[in-house]
Amino acid sequence: SIEWKLNNDTLQQTDRSLVIENVNISDTGTYECTVTNILGNATGKINLSKYCFLLFLQFIDVSVIY
């Protein structure tokens, strides 16, 4: 099984991947993915900071202009 969390709150997903559509500032925080099978489990974490979010928005704005 695969479980995704944002800031320790379980996220609803319908697939193995986590896709964030219409990204906004409330999507910032620590994302955690835990995969479990008969051999055990593994967890990975990544942080989406407000600074990264603002850079992402700037990148989108520039790409739309060109």
Side-chain angles (χ1 to χ4, degrees):
S1 68
I2 297 176
E3 180 182 48
W4 285 93
K5 292 183 178 182
L6 171 57
N7 299 323
N8 293 319
D9 293 328
T10 300
L11 299 173
Q12 300 297 320
Q13 89 260 6
T14 58
D15 199 356
R16 295 179 188 187
S17 302
L18 177 66
V19 177
I20 305 169
E21 296 180 0
N22 302 316
V23 176
N24 62 57
I25 201 76
S26 65
D27 295 317
T28 60
T30 301
Y31 286 84
E32 180 179 323
C33 178
T34 301
V35 179
T36 305
N37 64 21
I38 60 172
L39 299 176
N41 61 49
T43 299
K45 292 182 181 182
I46 189 166
N47 187 48
L48 177 61
S49 70
K50 293 177 184 177
Y51 177 73
C52 291
F53 172 76
L54 294 175
L55 287 177
F56 178 75
L57 286 182
Q58 288 176 342
F59 174 75
I60 288 178
D61 289 342
V62 170
S63 65
V64 170
I65 292 170
Y66 294 103

